[in-house]
Amino acid sequence: MAPRREILCLFDVDGTLTAPRKVIEAPFYRFLMDEVKPKLCIGLVGGSDLSKVTEQMGGDHTLKEFDFVFSENGVVAFKNGTEIGRESIQSFLGEERLQKFINFTLLCLSQIELPVKRGTFVEFRTGMLNISPIGRSCSRDERNEFEQFDKQHSIRKNLIEKLRNKFPEFGLTYSIGGQISFDVFPNGWDKTLCLKHIEKEGFKTVHFFGDKVDLGGNDYEIYNDARITGHRVISPEDTKKQLEELLRQN
């Protein structure tokens, strides 16, 4: 087996290590810590903010137990529990452009009719905006219902097209992830952003496991990056199965 320091496994969170917005199952977490980590370096790269990433992984201990933790695609970066990088969408856009974008987004959202609407339609994060037509405070059942409604009516896709046409000069990327929302961030601030923090580590191979790897999904760019060995997964169970195979190979 190659030395542990030569191989890194990076994991998306939602749909890869956990069910959407749920906490990782305890046996799977122990598998990562007890069987994977002793042999391979491990890291998280989630689109959500740091509090949501650590919540889904069971607590703040995640920051020290994973070799790397990248939230908001790597905008906020930790190595062995120590912060090593932070960016800001507010600094990138400036307050005037930021408000223009948010105001127009809210106007568009007010014109969309859905079976239900709840609260928190625009969530301001460190390196991105997260936009949810139904509102992030919806219940689990409402979340699942919107996901199916969106598949039929392309609510998120159509809203992204409006925003892209309205603000072509803002230099923004739009990425659908999870069940109810999409992220908006500066061009280049997709999940490949985290790679700048690990290139200097000298890993021989970097594996990435994610479920939203098709064009428009928030795993697409890193999954297709030449520096990455990509693994398409469909569930946490599938991730574990593919990890077991990887361990056998190494």
Side-chain angles (χ1 to χ4, degrees), residues 38-173:
K39 300 175 182 178
L40 308 171
C41 291
I42 56 175
L44 302 172
V45 52
S48 297
D49 61 31
L50 187 63
S51 65
K52 290 186 177 67
V53 170
T54 55
E55 174 192 348
Q56 287 185 257
M57 299 311 295
D60 291 341
H61 57 83
T62 297
L63 293 173
K64 294 183 178 180
E65 292 182 345
F66 280 81
D67 297 285
F68 297 93
V69 176
F70 302 109
S71 63
E72 301 185 49
N73 295 348
V75 168
V76 179
F78 281 79
K79 177 184 178 182
N80 298 322
T82 300
E83 185 174 312
I84 58 174
R86 183 176 291 262
E87 309 281 356
S88 168
I89 191 172
Q90 184 176 5
S91 297
F92 177 85
L93 283 178
E95 190 61 33
E96 182 179 355
R97 281 189 163 191
L98 185 61
Q99 287 198 35
K100 284 182 178 179
F101 185 89
I102 292 174
N103 288 343
F104 183 75
T105 299
L106 291 171
L107 176 62
C108 291
L109 289 171
S110 73
Q111 298 168 346
I112 295 174
E113 292 190 9
L114 301 173
V116 299
K117 279 188 178 180
R118 297 299 178 249
T120 312
F121 301 101
V122 178
E123 184 175 79
F124 183 83
R125 299 176 180 173
T126 306
M128 67 177 69
L129 299 174
N130 179 265
I131 298 170
S132 174
I134 187 177
R136 296 197 63 86
S137 60
C138 60
S139 69
R140 172 64 55 184
D141 287 343
E142 290 165 346
R143 171 185 288 266
N144 293 337
E145 289 166 4
F146 174 81
E147 181 180 28
Q148 296 306 312
F149 188 84
D150 187 47
K151 287 179 180 179
Q152 297 175 11
H153 301 281
S154 300
I155 301 299
R156 289 182 288 179
K157 182 180 178 181
N158 292 336
L159 179 54
I160 286 172
E161 197 61 28
K162 285 185 180 180
L163 294 171
R164 184 179 282 121
N165 291 335
K166 179 68 175 180
F167 302 106
E169 75 282 10
F170 278 21
L172 297 172
T173 293

Side-chain angles (χ1 to χ4, degrees), residues 18 24 32 40 56 80 90 138 141 163 184 192 194 214 218:
T18 78
I24 189 170
L32 293 172
L40 308 171
Q56 287 185 257
N80 298 322
Q90 184 176 5
C138 60
D141 287 343
L163 294 171
V184 183
T192 61
C194 76
D214 292 322
N218 66 352

